[in-house]
Amino acid sequence: MEELVNLFHGFAVALQPFNIMVMLVGIVLGVVIGVLPGLGGANGVAILLPLTFSMPPTSAIIMLSCIYWGALFGGAITSILFNIPGEPWSVATTFDGYPMAQQGKAGEALTAAFTSSFVGALFAVIMITLVAPLVANFALQFGPAEKFAVYFLAFCSFVGLSKEPPFKTIAAMMMGFALAAVGLDSITGQLRLTFGFTELLNGFDFLIAVIGLFGIGEILLTMEEGLNFRGGNAKINLRVVLQTWKTLPTYWMTSLRSCVIGCWMGITPAGATPASFMSYGITKRVAKNGHNFGNGEIEGVIAPETAAHAAGTAALLPMLSLGVPGSPTAAVLLGGLLIWGLQPGPMLFVEQKEFVWGLIASMYLGNLVGLVVVLTCVPIFAAILRVPFSIIAPLILVLCAIGAYSVHSSTFDVMLMLIFGVLGYLLKKCNYPLAPLVLAIVLGDKAEEAFRQSLLGSQGSLGVFFSNGLVSTIMVFGLIALFWSAVQQGYTRLRAAVA
Amino acid sequence: MNTNSPEAAGPTHKTVEAGITLLIALFGVVVIIGSLKAGINWGAEGPRAGFFPFYVGLFIVVSSAINLRDVLRGENDGLFAEWGQLRQVMSVVIPTTIYVGAIPFTGLYVASMIFIGWFMRWLGKYNWLTVTAVAIGMPVVTYFIFERWFLVPLPKGPLEEWLGL
Amino acid sequence: MTRSVLLVALASVSALCASGVAASATWEPLRPVEFIVPAGTGGGADQMARTIQGIITKHNLMKQPMVVINKSGGAGGEGFIDVKSSSGNPHKIIITLSNLFTTPLATGIPFSWKDLTPVAMLALDEFVLWVNADKPYNTVKDYVDVVKKSPAGTIKMGGTGSKQEDQIITVAVEKATGTKFTYIPYKGGGEVAVQLVGNHIDSSVNNPIEAVAQWRGGKLRPLCVFDGKPMAYDEPVADGKAWKDIPSCKSQGLDMEYLMLRGIFMSPKATKEQVDYYIDLFKKVRETSEWRDFMKSGAFNTTFMTGADYAKWVEVEEKRHQVLMKEAGFLNTGN
C-alpha cells in the first residue's frame, strides 16, 4: 500500500510541466539516437549526461531514462526497414521484422514492435513498483556460475533452430566465438589472436559485424536482384496501427512469456540481448507458426521486442537498488547518479524517495509518451521504403560507415564493416546462417568469462555448475532446450506407447 | 532470381561455395595458430587464454571439412549468380571500397559527397540538381547532428581543416 | 663577428622565451577537445571524465566543447595508442588510471607514459579492503587469521581486471601475510562489490566510491585503507563511522600502500603554452563546488601536481609498478 502512495507522489513529480517537457525532448532524442546506427542508447545517454548537470536530479534522470526508452523504441526501426539492428537486442527483431517489411507489411511490423516494447516495459515497471526489494535480492544470488548458466540457456534455446545444414550452423557459430575471443582476455589480462596488430586490440565489435553482415550484405543482395527495394507498397496511413492492434491480443501468451523472460534477464543482470534471443528461440519452438519463423511472422517480432524492452526496463532495478548496471546504458546512468550526488544502493529507496518514485512514475509516463510518438510516426517510417533505391542505398551506406566509425572512432572499423558486408553476402548466398554467428559475437566472450570465473572459484571443478538449486535448474533447462527435438520425439513415442 | 536459367553464364555455385568453405577453414587455422601462441592448456585455475579459441578453431576446421565434402558431393550445378548480376554487385562494392579507403585521407564528409553523388548519377541517372542537393545536403545534416548536436567527431580531411571546422 | 652573432642569437632566444611566456595565456583550443578515457563507460575514470566535462560545460570554462570518448580496448591500450599517434594535436587529452603502467607491462603493447605529455595529477584514488558485513571479521587481524587457517586458495578475492591494480594489491597482501587467495577478475568495480554482498567472493579491494553504497546499506564492512594514513573525510558515512575512522592497513600490520593515479596527459609534442592552458583549466575545475562534492563522495586523496613534480611522481610510480608486477609474475613474456 505504501508503494502506491509513493507512486502517486511520484506521478505528481513526473507530471510537473517542466518534467513533461523534458520527457518529450528525451523521447525524441532517444528515437533519433536509436535510429542512427552507431549512436546507441549508452552513447546517447553518455553524450547528453553533462548537459543535464544544471537540472534538478529528478528531471535529469527523467530526461536520460526517456532517451533510453526512445532508443529502445528506435532500435527496432532500422532493424525492420533496412535489416540493420542499431543495438544488440534488435538483432532478433530483424529475423521476422525485415521479411515483413519486404512483403509490404512494414507498418504492421513497426506497430507490433512498438506496442510489444511498450507492453514489455509496462510489465517490468509494474513489477518494479510492486516487488522491488524482493526482486533485488534475487539478483544477489547470481554469481559467475549462475551467469554462465543463463548464457548457456540463451545459446541452447537458440541453436538447433536453423533450417540450414547443421555443420554450416556450427561453422558460423564458431566463427562468431572466434571473433569474440580476439583482443584482451579478461581473465588472464593477456592479448590473444591479435597477431601484434594494435587495430585488433579491441576485438571485433558486434555492431561493426552486424552493420556489415546484415546491412551492407542486404544491399549487395538487393543489387544482385536489380535495383529494387522490396516493400515499397507498404501502407502508409495510421489505420494500419489499429488493424494491427486488433490482431495483437491473440498473441497474449507469447507476450506474457516474453515479459517474464525479459524481467528475469534484466534483473539477473544478463541484459536485454540474451533476453531477446532466448525469447525468440523459445517462442519459435512452442508457437503454432513456429516452423514459419524467419519468413515474416508477426510473433517473431513480438517475442524479441517484448523481452528486450522488459529486460531493458527491469535492468534499472538492480542499478538503483544494488548499484550494478544491468546494461551498458544503465552503467552510464549509474555514473550520472553518482555525479548528481545520489548514491545508488540499498539506501536510495529510503533516503531519496522523491527521486526514486519520480523516476518510476516517469517510466510509466515516458513509455506511454514514447509509444504515442513512435506510433504516430509509423506512416513516415514506412514511407522511407518508397524512396528509390539509388537514393536511399548510398545514404544507408554512408550512415553505416558513420555508425561503424563512431563505435570506436576508428577508420579501420569502417573497412572491417565493408569486409563483413561482402562476407555477409557470400555467406548468405552459400546458405550459412548469420544469426548464430552474431549471437556468438555478442555473448561469446561474456559466456567464456563467466565460465572461467566460475572455475577459478571452484578451483577447476566443473561441479560448480550443479552446486546449488538455482544454477542446476537453469542448466537443466538449457540441456532440455538443446535436446528439445529429441525430447519432443521421445514424448510422442511415449504417448504412442501408452496409447 | 533465375540463377538456373540455362542460357545465363556465371561462376557455378559449387566453385564459389568450395572457395568460401576453404576460406573459413583458413580462418580456423589462423585461430588455432593464435591460440597456440596464447597457451591452450588447462592451468591450475581453469583454462588458459587460448584454450577456448583453440577448440573453436578446431571446430571450424573440422566442420569446414565436412561442409567441403558435402559441397563437392552435392548435386547443385546451378550458377552462383550471373555475370551481369555480379557486375551489379561489384558496381557497389568497388566504389564503396574506394569510398572507405578514401575516408582517412579526405575525411568523411568530402568522401560521402562524392560517393552519394556518384551513386545517384551513375546508377540512378538523376539530374544534376537532385544529385547535388542530396549529395551536399546529407553530409551537411550529418555534420550538424553528429558534430554539433551529439558532439561525436567524425573523420575530417584537409577541406575541413581549411574551413576551420 | 662570431661574438655579435652569438649575442644576437642569445637575444632572439630570450625574446622567443619572453614571447612564449606572454603567449602562454593566449593559446586556446580552436576545435572541440577530445577527452579520451582508456576504460569503459560507467567506470571510475569515465565518471571522473564526464564530471569534468559537465563542470566545464556548466561553468563555461572553455570556449570549445569537450567531447568524452571511450577507448577501452586492450585494457586501455587502444586509448593510449590513439593519443600517442596524435603527435602535435593539442586537441586531445587523456585521463589515466593505473593501466598507464600496468597495460604496457602486462600485455606488451608498445607504449610508455613517456610517449605522452604530462599535464596534471587531479587526484589519487584510495583502495579499501572490504568484507561482507555478515561475516564475523571486524579487524584485519581477524580476517588474516581466517585466511591463514583456510586451505590455500579457498578464500576468494574479487577485483577489477586481470594483472591490474586490484590484483597487484592482492598479491602484495598475500606477500605481507604469507597467505594465498584465489583472485577472480570482474569487469567493473560495482559488480565486484555486489558479488561480495552476494557472498560469491570473500573480500575485495574496491575503491571507496564503488562500495560506499553497500557500506551505507549495511552490507559491506571496510577493514583498512591501503594508504600511509587514514583518509581525510570525517563526515559520518555509515553507522556513525566516517572514512577517517578506517585505519590504515599499515597500522593493522598489513604493510602495503597503494594509490591510483587519476591524472591528465596530452598528445606528444605539445607546447608549453598548450600544457599551461590545460593546467589552468583543471585548476579552475578543482575550484568548483561540484568537484569538491565529487571528491568527497569518492573519498579521493586530492593531491594536485603539475610539471616536473608530476613527471617525477609518475616516473617513481612506474618503477614501483615494474617491481611489483615482476614480483607477482605479471610481466608480459611475449605471449
mmCIF file with all atom_site columns, all heavy atoms in Angstrom, chain A residues 323-339:
data_model
loop_
_atom_site.group_PDB
_atom_site.id
_atom_site.type_symbol
_atom_site.label_atom_id
_atom_site.label_alt_id
_atom_site.label_comp_id
_atom_site.label_asym_id
_atom_site.label_entity_id
_atom_site.label_seq_id
_atom_site.pdbx_PDB_ins_code
_atom_site.Cartn_x
_atom_site.Cartn_y
_atom_site.Cartn_z
_atom_site.occupancy
_atom_site.B_iso_or_equiv
_atom_site.pdbx_formal_charge
_atom_site.auth_seq_id
_atom_site.auth_comp_id
_atom_site.auth_asym_id
_atom_site.auth_atom_id
_atom_site.pdbx_PDB_model_num
ATOM 1   N N   . GLY A 1 323 ? 23.296 -0.918 -7.312  1.00 0.00 ? 323 GLY A N   1
ATOM 2   C CA  . GLY A 1 323 ? 24.416 -0.237 -7.922  1.00 0.00 ? 323 GLY A CA  1
ATOM 3   C C   . GLY A 1 323 ? 25.111 -1.082 -8.966  1.00 0.00 ? 323 GLY A C   1
ATOM 4   O O   . GLY A 1 323 ? 26.224 -0.788 -9.358  1.00 0.00 ? 323 GLY A O   1
ATOM 5   N N   . VAL A 1 324 ? 24.464 -2.182 -9.425  1.00 0.00 ? 324 VAL A N   1
ATOM 6   C CA  . VAL A 1 324 ? 25.038 -2.936 -10.545 1.00 0.00 ? 324 VAL A CA  1
ATOM 7   C C   . VAL A 1 324 ? 24.231 -2.619 -11.777 1.00 0.00 ? 324 VAL A C   1
ATOM 8   O O   . VAL A 1 324 ? 23.042 -2.877 -11.826 1.00 0.00 ? 324 VAL A O   1
ATOM 9   C CB  . VAL A 1 324 ? 24.853 -4.461 -10.451 1.00 0.00 ? 324 VAL A CB  1
ATOM 10  C CG1 . VAL A 1 324 ? 26.044 -5.171 -10.982 1.00 0.00 ? 324 VAL A CG1 1
ATOM 11  C CG2 . VAL A 1 324 ? 24.377 -4.880 -9.135  1.00 0.00 ? 324 VAL A CG2 1
ATOM 12  N N   . PRO A 1 325 ? 24.866 -2.124 -12.794 1.00 0.00 ? 325 PRO A N   1
ATOM 13  C CA  . PRO A 1 325 ? 24.137 -1.825 -14.018 1.00 0.00 ? 325 PRO A CA  1
ATOM 14  C C   . PRO A 1 325 ? 23.794 -3.106 -14.770 1.00 0.00 ? 325 PRO A C   1
ATOM 15  O O   . PRO A 1 325 ? 24.631 -3.967 -14.930 1.00 0.00 ? 325 PRO A O   1
ATOM 16  C CB  . PRO A 1 325 ? 25.116 -0.975 -14.818 1.00 0.00 ? 325 PRO A CB  1
ATOM 17  C CG  . PRO A 1 325 ? 26.455 -1.299 -14.271 1.00 0.00 ? 325 PRO A CG  1
ATOM 18  C CD  . PRO A 1 325 ? 26.280 -1.786 -12.872 1.00 0.00 ? 325 PRO A CD  1
ATOM 19  N N   . GLY A 1 326 ? 22.557 -3.214 -15.247 1.00 0.00 ? 326 GLY A N   1
ATOM 20  C CA  . GLY A 1 326 ? 22.142 -4.392 -15.993 1.00 0.00 ? 326 GLY A CA  1
ATOM 21  C C   . GLY A 1 326 ? 22.401 -4.254 -17.472 1.00 0.00 ? 326 GLY A C   1
ATOM 22  O O   . GLY A 1 326 ? 22.187 -5.179 -18.232 1.00 0.00 ? 326 GLY A O   1
ATOM 23  N N   . SER A 1 327 ? 22.836 -3.092 -17.920 1.00 0.00 ? 327 SER A N   1
ATOM 24  C CA  . SER A 1 327 ? 23.106 -2.877 -19.343 1.00 0.00 ? 327 SER A CA  1
ATOM 25  C C   . SER A 1 327 ? 24.108 -1.735 -19.453 1.00 0.00 ? 327 SER A C   1
ATOM 26  O O   . SER A 1 327 ? 24.309 -1.002 -18.499 1.00 0.00 ? 327 SER A O   1
ATOM 27  C CB  . SER A 1 327 ? 21.817 -2.506 -20.062 1.00 0.00 ? 327 SER A CB  1
ATOM 28  O OG  . SER A 1 327 ? 21.413 -1.197 -19.698 1.00 0.00 ? 327 SER A OG  1
ATOM 29  N N   . PRO A 1 328 ? 24.748 -1.603 -20.612 1.00 0.00 ? 328 PRO A N   1
ATOM 30  C CA  . PRO A 1 328 ? 25.718 -0.510 -20.755 1.00 0.00 ? 328 PRO A CA  1
ATOM 31  C C   . PRO A 1 328 ? 25.081 0.847  -20.492 1.00 0.00 ? 328 PRO A C   1
ATOM 32  O O   . PRO A 1 328 ? 25.690 1.725  -19.884 1.00 0.00 ? 328 PRO A O   1
ATOM 33  C CB  . PRO A 1 328 ? 26.166 -0.615 -22.212 1.00 0.00 ? 328 PRO A CB  1
ATOM 34  C CG  . PRO A 1 328 ? 25.842 -1.990 -22.639 1.00 0.00 ? 328 PRO A CG  1
ATOM 35  C CD  . PRO A 1 328 ? 24.676 -2.440 -21.819 1.00 0.00 ? 328 PRO A CD  1
ATOM 36  N N   . THR A 1 329 ? 23.837 1.004  -20.950 1.00 0.00 ? 329 THR A N   1
ATOM 37  C CA  . THR A 1 329 ? 23.182 2.288  -20.733 1.00 0.00 ? 329 THR A CA  1
ATOM 38  C C   . THR A 1 329 ? 22.966 2.519  -19.251 1.00 0.00 ? 329 THR A C   1
ATOM 39  O O   . THR A 1 329 ? 23.167 3.630  -18.741 1.00 0.00 ? 329 THR A O   1
ATOM 40  C CB  . THR A 1 329 ? 21.834 2.322  -21.457 1.00 0.00 ? 329 THR A CB  1
ATOM 41  O OG1 . THR A 1 329 ? 22.015 1.799  -22.756 1.00 0.00 ? 329 THR A OG1 1
ATOM 42  C CG2 . THR A 1 329 ? 21.314 3.721  -21.545 1.00 0.00 ? 329 THR A CG2 1
ATOM 43  N N   . ALA A 1 330 ? 22.545 1.459  -18.551 1.00 0.00 ? 330 ALA A N   1
ATOM 44  C CA  . ALA A 1 330 ? 22.353 1.592  -17.115 1.00 0.00 ? 330 ALA A CA  1
ATOM 45  C C   . ALA A 1 330 ? 23.668 1.977  -16.441 1.00 0.00 ? 330 ALA A C   1
ATOM 46  O O   . ALA A 1 330 ? 23.670 2.719  -15.466 1.00 0.00 ? 330 ALA A O   1
ATOM 47  C CB  . ALA A 1 330 ? 21.809 0.288  -16.539 1.00 0.00 ? 330 ALA A CB  1
ATOM 48  N N   . ALA A 1 331 ? 24.792 1.470  -16.992 1.00 0.00 ? 331 ALA A N   1
ATOM 49  C CA  . ALA A 1 331 ? 26.093 1.812  -16.413 1.00 0.00 ? 331 ALA A CA  1
ATOM 50  C C   . ALA A 1 331 ? 26.345 3.304  -16.496 1.00 0.00 ? 331 ALA A C   1
ATOM 51  O O   . ALA A 1 331 ? 26.880 3.922  -15.570 1.00 0.00 ? 331 ALA A O   1
ATOM 52  C CB  . ALA A 1 331 ? 27.204 1.049  -17.127 1.00 0.00 ? 331 ALA A CB  1
ATOM 53  N N   . VAL A 1 332 ? 25.956 3.895  -17.616 1.00 0.00 ? 332 VAL A N   1
ATOM 54  C CA  . VAL A 1 332 ? 26.176 5.327  -17.777 1.00 0.00 ? 332 VAL A CA  1
ATOM 55  C C   . VAL A 1 332 ? 25.234 6.107  -16.864 1.00 0.00 ? 332 VAL A C   1
ATOM 56  O O   . VAL A 1 332 ? 25.624 7.084  -16.226 1.00 0.00 ? 332 VAL A O   1
ATOM 57  C CB  . VAL A 1 332 ? 25.975 5.739  -19.240 1.00 0.00 ? 332 VAL A CB  1
ATOM 58  C CG1 . VAL A 1 332 ? 26.203 7.217  -19.392 1.00 0.00 ? 332 VAL A CG1 1
ATOM 59  C CG2 . VAL A 1 332 ? 26.921 4.969  -20.134 1.00 0.00 ? 332 VAL A CG2 1
ATOM 60  N N   . LEU A 1 333 ? 23.973 5.647  -16.779 1.00 0.00 ? 333 LEU A N   1
ATOM 61  C CA  . LEU A 1 333 ? 23.024 6.302  -15.879 1.00 0.00 ? 333 LEU A CA  1
ATOM 62  C C   . LEU A 1 333 ? 23.541 6.253  -14.444 1.00 0.00 ? 333 LEU A C   1
ATOM 63  O O   . LEU A 1 333 ? 23.409 7.199  -13.688 1.00 0.00 ? 333 LEU A O   1
ATOM 64  C CB  . LEU A 1 333 ? 21.671 5.599  -15.947 1.00 0.00 ? 333 LEU A CB  1
ATOM 65  C CG  . LEU A 1 333 ? 20.813 5.882  -17.188 1.00 0.00 ? 333 LEU A CG  1
ATOM 66  C CD1 . LEU A 1 333 ? 19.559 5.031  -17.154 1.00 0.00 ? 333 LEU A CD1 1
ATOM 67  C CD2 . LEU A 1 333 ? 20.450 7.347  -17.259 1.00 0.00 ? 333 LEU A CD2 1
ATOM 68  N N   . LEU A 1 334 ? 24.161 5.119  -14.116 1.00 0.00 ? 334 LEU A N   1
ATOM 69  C CA  . LEU A 1 334 ? 24.711 4.940  -12.779 1.00 0.00 ? 334 LEU A CA  1
ATOM 70  C C   . LEU A 1 334 ? 25.760 6.009  -12.491 1.00 0.00 ? 334 LEU A C   1
ATOM 71  O O   . LEU A 1 334 ? 25.776 6.621  -11.426 1.00 0.00 ? 334 LEU A O   1
ATOM 72  C CB  . LEU A 1 334 ? 25.347 3.555  -12.696 1.00 0.00 ? 334 LEU A CB  1
ATOM 73  C CG  . LEU A 1 334 ? 25.864 3.107  -11.358 1.00 0.00 ? 334 LEU A CG  1
ATOM 74  C CD1 . LEU A 1 334 ? 24.707 2.790  -10.455 1.00 0.00 ? 334 LEU A CD1 1
ATOM 75  C CD2 . LEU A 1 334 ? 26.728 1.884  -11.519 1.00 0.00 ? 334 LEU A CD2 1
ATOM 76  N N   . GLY A 1 335 ? 26.631 6.232  -13.489 1.00 0.00 ? 335 GLY A N   1
ATOM 77  C CA  . GLY A 1 335 ? 27.625 7.292  -13.351 1.00 0.00 ? 335 GLY A CA  1
ATOM 78  C C   . GLY A 1 335 ? 26.954 8.627  -13.112 1.00 0.00 ? 335 GLY A C   1
ATOM 79  O O   . GLY A 1 335 ? 27.395 9.430  -12.291 1.00 0.00 ? 335 GLY A O   1
ATOM 80  N N   . GLY A 1 336 ? 25.835 8.838  -13.835 1.00 0.00 ? 336 GLY A N   1
ATOM 81  C CA  . GLY A 1 336 ? 25.094 10.079 -13.674 1.00 0.00 ? 336 GLY A CA  1
ATOM 82  C C   . GLY A 1 336 ? 24.604 10.248 -12.252 1.00 0.00 ? 336 GLY A C   1
ATOM 83  O O   . GLY A 1 336 ? 24.759 11.307 -11.641 1.00 0.00 ? 336 GLY A O   1
ATOM 84  N N   . LEU A 1 337 ? 24.042 9.192  -11.683 1.00 0.00 ? 337 LEU A N   1
ATOM 85  C CA  . LEU A 1 337 ? 23.530 9.258  -10.316 1.00 0.00 ? 337 LEU A CA  1
ATOM 86  C C   . LEU A 1 337 ? 24.628 9.709  -9.364  1.00 0.00 ? 337 LEU A C   1
ATOM 87  O O   . LEU A 1 337 ? 24.431 10.568 -8.513  1.00 0.00 ? 337 LEU A O   1
ATOM 88  C CB  . LEU A 1 337 ? 23.033 7.882  -9.866  1.00 0.00 ? 337 LEU A CB  1
ATOM 89  C CG  . LEU A 1 337 ? 21.789 7.320  -10.525 1.00 0.00 ? 337 LEU A CG  1
ATOM 90  C CD1 . LEU A 1 337 ? 21.439 5.987  -9.916  1.00 0.00 ? 337 LEU A CD1 1
ATOM 91  C CD2 . LEU A 1 337 ? 20.639 8.280  -10.359 1.00 0.00 ? 337 LEU A CD2 1
ATOM 92  N N   . LEU A 1 338 ? 25.817 9.123  -9.541  1.00 0.00 ? 338 LEU A N   1
ATOM 93  C CA  . LEU A 1 338 ? 26.919 9.456  -8.647  1.00 0.00 ? 338 LEU A CA  1
ATOM 94  C C   . LEU A 1 338 ? 27.297 10.921 -8.792  1.00 0.00 ? 338 LEU A C   1
ATOM 95  O O   . LEU A 1 338 ? 27.590 11.599 -7.815  1.00 0.00 ? 338 LEU A O   1
ATOM 96  C CB  . LEU A 1 338 ? 28.122 8.565  -8.952  1.00 0.00 ? 338 LEU A CB  1
ATOM 97  C CG  . LEU A 1 338 ? 27.922 7.095  -8.619  1.00 0.00 ? 338 LEU A CG  1
ATOM 98  C CD1 . LEU A 1 338 ? 29.025 6.255  -9.214  1.00 0.00 ? 338 LEU A CD1 1
ATOM 99  C CD2 . LEU A 1 338 ? 27.873 6.910  -7.110  1.00 0.00 ? 338 LEU A CD2 1
ATOM 100 N N   . ILE A 1 339 ? 27.282 11.388 -10.048 1.00 0.00 ? 339 ILE A N   1
ATOM 101 C CA  . ILE A 1 339 ? 27.684 12.766 -10.277 1.00 0.00 ? 339 ILE A CA  1
ATOM 102 C C   . ILE A 1 339 ? 26.678 13.734 -9.650  1.00 0.00 ? 339 ILE A C   1
ATOM 103 O O   . ILE A 1 339 ? 27.040 14.780 -9.136  1.00 0.00 ? 339 ILE A O   1
ATOM 104 C CB  . ILE A 1 339 ? 27.856 13.024 -11.789 1.00 0.00 ? 339 ILE A CB  1
ATOM 105 C CG1 . ILE A 1 339 ? 29.049 12.210 -12.303 1.00 0.00 ? 339 ILE A CG1 1
ATOM 106 C CG2 . ILE A 1 339 ? 28.077 14.494 -12.069 1.00 0.00 ? 339 ILE A CG2 1
ATOM 107 C CD1 . ILE A 1 339 ? 29.137 12.132 -13.802 1.00 0.00 ? 339 ILE A CD1 1
#
